[in-house]
Amino acid sequence: MEQNQDKLKDIISHSKEYGFIFPSSEIYDGLAATYDYGQLGSELKNNIKTYWWKAMVQMHENIVGIDAAIFMHPTTWKASGHVDAFNDPLIDNKDSKKRYRADVLIEEHIEKIRQKIQKEVDKGRNRFGAEFDENQFKATNPNVLRNAEKIASIEERMKSALDNNDLEAVRNLILDLEIVCPISGSKNWTEVRQFNLMFSTELGSVAGDAATIYLRPETAQGIFVNFLNVQKSGRMKIPFGIAQIGKAFRNEIVARQFIFRMREFEQMEMQFFVRPGEEMRWYEYWKEAREKWHKNLGLGNHNYRFHDHIKLAHYANAACDIEFNFPMGFKELEGIHSRTDFDLKQHEQFSGKKLQFFDPEMNESYVPYVVETSVGLDRLFLAVLSSSYQNEKLEDDSERIVLKIPAVLAPYKAAVLPLIKKDGLPEKAREIQKALQFEYNVQYDEKDAIGRRYRRQDAIGTPICITIDHQTLEDNTITIRDRDTMIQERISIDKLEQKIAEKASWKKILTDLDKN
Ligand code: GAP
């Protein structure tokens, strides 16, 4: 784990050094848990958004996208339940004065037990080799069974305490499990209190309660309140989806781990409206579709796992997370929720307007049920960065830092490098750069020896380096160097665009997604 924390530190400093992510307002010593995306970070972020938007909207004729305002009528948040129920249970350690989410302390304790089970399984695999049957081992090994029982019992107590809003029971569970503060090492805990996560501000110059508005804590409500607008203007038929990418704000008390948990972040959400009673089928459908979408990026299938929610949010009848193996361990990357008809019904009630769909096949009107997919853009950014950051030892004993970012997401798809700064090579290189820049973001670089330039491109994840030398002027060929294998190949300039497309085009990654 310590090694992984070091990796996170390396990623944070690499991100800053190369212009991916800067601490926000750094000249004033920064603002906690707030970050700015730099010149390469915004390219990578835009590419992640494009992958999501193309796959979700462009490739589904029954899904359309919107861009709703961040500010919404304050009654929206009363109706959605966020004013009353969007709380975190917090607990303070009296010795370190540090504040924690009580449920997260318990979940981290459960994770430690899970790791013990995993260790036992790994030992078993080593002992039994090819004959090892993981399921049978888990069902019979006494240590695994004991720990699995422990987890089940803790989860049951936590669920019951949280469902009943019994904060004393949450505290008792922390005490019974002998959870200590990671800073002070003590068990000297305060009571558990609920804390609302919404940021509020005031509209215009009028003071008082009536003018209080909120920064949206999720983009989803902008979709719900526009359900009928989109359905009618787009002549949408159920089942259909509305997608959106946008900022959300939460006053996270324990905001940490770089861009993993921020107070201002971006979500990519899609609400899929279905017939009542069909939501579980669509819930399973979207779980599978979203898993495929993630795995298609090639960050390593072993880095994903599903986690079913123990405590369902106030609007859900089923919910799970797709977790990713971040440097800090497996954590939530995306949430998939079956939100029932809760939100639309609440908005009907609070607004007095009907939010129903007339289903011509059933010849009746109903409030649709909703299955939601919600992925954190910043978390996906961290997943891409952390899984692609590698410190490689090369054959000649030198080292290189390389970002093996999926080619289609890389800030620059190619770097155009004249071997030397004279003899007409820069002019030829500029010609190539100009021809490519309509389709691809490419960088021109003529400074320093070619080896150093390759290293710079490795460090920012450019999949292809194109070198222009004297032979180029004679026979119109160039050398292309692959970021991951470092293999160089001489090809004709006519083939260049096709070569880049094979690696880094939207068509390539979306065709792969369609095939899987
Ligand atoms: N509309 C449903 C919803 O908002 P959520 O599980 O609370 O569900 C969805 O959030 C996703 O948003 C999470 O899976 C996570 O990726 C991202 N997210 C939530 N809080 C975040 C935070 N403080 N910082 C960064 N990303 C966050």
Side-chain angles (χ1 to χ4, degrees):
M1 195 55 122
E2 201 155 286
Q3 203 182 357
N4 289 339
Q5 289 299 344
D6 284 348
K7 182 168 181 188
L8 187 61
K9 276 191 201 145
D10 290 346
I11 290 166
I12 295 171
S13 67
H14 190 85
S15 296
K16 185 169 172 220
E17 185 180 347
Y18 286 93
F20 283 89
I21 297 175
F22 307 122
S24 165
S25 32
E26 197 190 6
I27 57 168
Y28 296 106
D29 294 334
L31 180 68
T34 320
Y35 291 91
D36 296 338
Y37 286 83
Q39 64 279 19
L40 295 190
S42 10
E43 292 289 344
L44 173 53
K45 203 176 178 199
N46 281 339
N47 291 337
I48 296 175
K49 287 189 207 177
T50 304
Y51 176 46
W52 187 84
W53 193 269
K54 279 184 182 289
M56 297 296 277
V57 179
Q58 210 164 314
M59 310 258 301
H60 287 96
E61 61 179 86
N62 61 348
I63 301 182
V64 289
I66 64 165
D67 186 8
I70 287 172
F71 291 141
M72 300 182 71
H73 192 285
T75 310
T76 309
W77 305 109
K78 194 75 196 148
S80 67
H82 284 81
V83 171
D84 297 321
F86 195 53
N87 300 320
D88 273 349
L90 299 183
I91 190 165
D92 292 29
N93 183 269
K94 290 184 195 162
D95 298 318
S96 67
K97 310 270 184 275
K98 288 276 170 204
R99 183 161 290 174
Y100 300 92
R101 266 178 60 178
D103 55 331
V104 171
L105 281 181
I106 299 168
E107 264 160 17
E108 283 174 357
H109 184 84
I110 293 174
E111 183 56 31
K112 279 187 197 148
I113 307 178
R114 266 205 196 103
Q115 281 167 9
K116 279 189 195 160
I117 295 181
Q118 191 54 46
K119 251 192 194 155
E120 204 70 48
V121 170
D122 293 343
K123 263 196 325 205
R125 184 172 289 115
N126 284 343
R127 197 156 17 133
F128 297 113
E131 273 146 44
F132 182 67
D133 178 339
E134 184 168 330
N135 289 336
Q136 198 200 346
F137 184 81
K138 279 183 171 167
T140 51
N141 180 281
N143 290 340
V144 171
L145 288 174
R146 204 183 45 252
N147 281 320
E149 260 170 43
K150 255 193 214 167
I151 291 177
S153 133
I154 298 171
E155 285 184 341
E156 201 182 306
R157 276 184 71 183
M158 178 157 94
K159 179 173 168 17
S160 148
L162 292 173
D163 282 350
N164 297 319
N165 201 18
D166 185 348
L167 301 181
E168 197 168 334
V170 176
R171 180 169 188 268
N172 286 341
L173 183 54
I174 290 175
L175 296 181
D176 291 350
L177 295 173
E178 304 194 339
I179 294 176
V180 297
C181 165
I183 309 283
S184 68
S186 91
K187 292 177 244 170
N188 198 3
W189 297 109
T190 61
E191 300 304 307
V192 178
R193 287 169 301 120
Q194 290 287 20
F195 180 85
N196 192 284
L197 293 180
M198 279 199 295
F199 279 106
S200 62
T201 184
E202 269 164 24
L203 193 63
S205 56
V206 195
D209 263 4
T212 298
I213 55 166
Y214 299 99
L215 297 185
R216 66 181 179 198
E218 61 170 7
T219 58
Q221 297 304 325
I223 290 177
F224 289 124
V225 299
N226 278 299
F227 160 71
L228 260 198
N229 282 338
V230 173
Q231 189 274 318
K232 284 197 182 325
S233 59
R235 294 177 296 120
M236 309 301 290
K237 287 200 177 59
I238 280 202
F240 76 91
I242 306 180
Q244 176 169 217
I245 300 176
K247 291 259 180 172
F249 304 82
R250 296 182 189 176
N251 196 1
E252 301 277 5
I253 289 306
V254 193
R256 56 184 171 168
Q257 291 164 332
F258 196 30
I259 54 172
F260 180 80
R261 194 179 300 287
M262 295 193 288
R263 300 201 168 98
E264 172 182 343
F265 57 98
E266 243 171 303
Q267 291 183 316
M268 304 192 285
E269 296 201 299
M270 193 276 300
Q271 264 63 42
F272 200 68
F273 299 90
V274 305
R275 276 186 188 160
E278 294 192 354
E279 72 274 15
M280 280 307 152
R281 182 162 70 82
W282 286 110
Y283 174 68
E284 292 305 326
Y285 171 89
W286 281 110
K287 271 176 75 173
E288 196 184 316
R290 296 300 303 149
E291 184 188 16
K292 253 203 239 166
W293 182 90
H294 282 287
K295 290 188 172 169
N296 193 46
L297 275 177
L299 306 183
N301 289 1
H302 58 285
N303 283 323
Y304 300 90
R305 74 179 187 196
F306 277 106
H307 170 73
D308 288 321
H309 284 200
I310 304 171
K311 177 181 169 11
L312 294 178
H314 56 274
Y315 47 72
N317 68 356
C320 67
D321 298 332
I322 296 179
E323 293 188 337
F324 186 79
N325 192 8
F326 290 100
M328 323 68 90
F330 274 96
K331 303 257 179 215
E332 175 183 351
L333 171 63
E334 168 154 359
I336 300 166
H337 311 128
S338 170
R339 287 181 82 129
T340 66
D341 55 359
F342 175 86
D343 301 87
L344 289 181
K345 275 218 165 120
Q346 288 289 104
H347 288 306
E348 272 200 332
Q349 195 191 322
F350 278 74
S351 69
K353 312 258 165 40
K354 276 210 173 324
L355 294 174
Q356 303 195 355
F357 173 75
F358 176 74
D359 193 324
E361 281 169 37
M362 292 171 68
N363 199 27
E364 68 175 76
S365 292
Y366 52 78
V367 177
Y369 271 51
V370 172
V371 174
E372 157 186 87
T373 71
S374 175
V375 56
L377 176 54
D378 313 271
R379 287 196 188 172
L380 189 49
F381 188 108
L382 183 58
V384 169
L385 212 56
S386 60
S387 58
S388 59
Y389 178 92
Q390 286 174 28
N391 189 343
E392 277 186 356
K393 209 161 189 81
L394 303 178
E395 273 171 12
D396 63 359
D397 258 3
S398 65
E399 283 184 7
R400 70 163 181 161
I401 302 286
V402 54
L403 289 186
K404 293 188 172 173
I405 300 177
V408 73
L409 301 184
Y412 294 112
K413 302 294 177 277
V416 183
L417 315 171
L419 189 61
I420 52 171
K421 258 196 277 186
K422 53 182 186 183
D423 302 341
L425 300 188
E427 290 75 9
K428 186 71 187 169
R430 287 284 185 200
E431 223 177 82
I432 294 172
Q433 177 203 8
K434 288 224 154 66
L436 291 176
Q437 71 190 7
F438 298 103
E439 278 292 326
Y440 300 106
N441 198 24
V442 291
Q443 189 177 52
Y444 175 88
D445 188 6
E446 60 178 22
K447 194 167 176 289
D448 296 326
I450 193 75
R452 287 188 68 173
R453 282 183 271 167
Y454 285 156
R455 287 288 173 276
R456 271 205 297 270
Q457 296 301 329
D458 288 344
I460 61 172
T462 309
I464 294 173
C465 284
I466 304 162
T467 309
I468 290 88
D469 56 17
H470 291 94
Q471 193 182 327
T472 310
L473 303 181
E474 284 161 26
D475 63 6
N476 238 17
T477 61
I478 34 115
T479 311
I480 56 169
R481 170 190 178 270
D482 182 278
R483 174 195 68 195
D484 300 341
T485 60
M486 293 186 287
I487 290 173
Q488 301 191 19
E489 185 189 355
R490 193 139 203 126
I491 61 162
S492 151
I493 290 179
D494 307 339
K495 298 260 161 60
L496 182 55
E497 212 166 324
Q498 186 196 333
K499 275 275 175 197
I500 301 175
E502 278 165 16
K503 237 184 200 315
S505 68
W506 292 113
K507 188 171 176 183
K508 159 90 175 77
I509 191 157
L510 293 167
T511 315
D512 288 350
L513 178 62
D514 225 15
K515 268 193 257 160
N516 282 325

